[in-house]
Amino acid sequence: MKDIELFAFDLDGTLLDTAPDFFKSVNILRQKYNLDEADYVQVRSLVSQGAASLAAYALELKLDETEAIEFHRQELLEIYEECCLDATKPFDGVDTLLAKLNEKQIKWGIVTNKPRKFAEKIVINKLDKHNPPFLVCPDDVGARKPEPDGLIQALKISNTNSKNSIYIGDHRIDIEAGKNAKMITGAAAYGYIPLEDDANNWGAKYIFLHAKEIETLT
């Protein structure tokens, strides 16, 4: 296989461990409605599914209660905005990985479903020392993964062929998005895998149990 020329990464659950701050946000929301503390393992497994899933879990809502979920999603995000930098940090091995990519002058960047309002703030605070070459959010392309729009934008920004590029993420939709963009795919199995799911079943070309394993492709 030709050398990989672009490493594109998901953000939450792949580069950054954001679960502690989401856990804090969920519990603040639950306290407001006189509910007991949430289960950390459950919250962690839902982070990559987005704020709507977290809000539904936090207030024990049924999936068809769409209006209530949307209302409390906004409520949760307002809480999260105030604490999203408190405990978030790169996963073990990520700093070394990104430093190595920069040292070798290998292209890399971030494609996330996180709104730019949050993603940019967090990336600047937690990853700025690595000078991320690009950050693509749904706001930028008008679509969320598994649609390939964000990854196609990343390929254009980096002027890279999809066949020589890899997208790495911790959710099934990340792998679907990578395939939709005709990229090589890698599953970050150390991330926020839904409890009922298994990264081995996603059809990714590579499975990474630790961020340091990604270095073997550089």
Side-chain angles (χ1 to χ4, degrees):
M1 184 185 74
K2 188 173 180 179
D3 290 345
I4 294 175
E5 298 176 1
L6 170 67
F7 286 76
F9 299 97
D10 177 41
L11 186 60
D12 298 60
T14 302
L15 292 181
L16 294 180
D17 184 6
T18 57
D21 289 331
F22 275 113
F23 182 63
K24 180 177 181 178
S25 303
V26 164
N27 280 318
I28 291 172
L29 184 60
R30 285 177 66 86
Q31 288 168 9
K32 180 177 179 180
Y33 293 95
N34 299 312
L35 295 170
D36 294 335
E37 183 173 288
D39 177 70
Y40 181 77
V41 173
Q42 186 71 44
V43 171
R44 187 183 190 279
S45 75
L46 291 171
V47 169
S48 288
Q49 297 184 54
S53 293
L54 285 167
Y57 166 75
L59 298 181
E60 302 171 10
L61 300 171
K62 296 178 181 178
L63 294 181
D64 61 358
E65 296 181 76
T66 53
E67 287 188 14
I69 290 174
E70 176 56 24
F71 175 81
H72 294 299
R73 182 185 76 87
Q74 294 292 343
E75 196 173 23
L76 178 66
L77 288 176
E78 288 175 7
I79 296 169
Y80 179 64
E81 186 173 8
E82 296 301 316
C83 65
C84 65
L85 301 178
D86 288 0
T88 288
K89 63 181 181 179
F91 279 102
D92 185 37
V94 164
D95 280 328
T96 302
L97 168 64
L98 298 184
K100 187 169 185 178
L101 291 175
N102 284 336
E103 180 185 347
K104 291 188 171 185
Q105 297 185 324
I106 298 173
K107 299 173 185 177
W108 69 276
I110 302 164
V111 180
T112 177
N113 270 354
K114 205 179 194 79
R116 178 165 286 278
K117 173 182 179 181
F118 299 102
E120 191 167 61
K121 176 180 179 180
I122 294 169
V123 167
I124 288 173
N125 187 273
K126 304 298 180 180
L127 295 174
D128 198 49
K129 68 179 180 180
H130 298 295
N131 298 310
F134 62 79
L135 169 65
V136 181
C137 303
D139 322 42
D140 305 319
V141 294
R144 294 168 56 85
K145 297 174 292 183
E147 296 302 319
D149 303 57
L151 290 171
I152 291 171
Q153 179 73 358
L155 293 169
K156 289 179 180 177
I157 292 170
S158 58
N159 191 28
T160 311
N161 189 301
S162 63
K163 293 181 180 179
N164 303 326
S165 305
I166 187 170
Y167 185 53
I168 300 169
D170 69 312
H171 196 278
R172 184 183 295 271
I173 64 169
D174 295 319
I175 306 308
E176 292 176 11
K179 290 181 177 181
N180 289 338
K182 303 187 186 310
M183 296 173 70
I184 304 163
T185 55
Y190 55 85
Y192 307 143
I193 314 300
L195 295 179
E196 71 283 358
D197 209 347
D198 184 341
N200 291 290
N201 297 331
W202 300 347
K205 183 174 178 63
Y206 298 100
I207 305 288
F208 304 109
L209 301 180
H210 191 284
K212 67 182 179 182
E213 295 178 3
I214 301 171
E215 287 188 40
T216 62
L217 299 182
T218 65

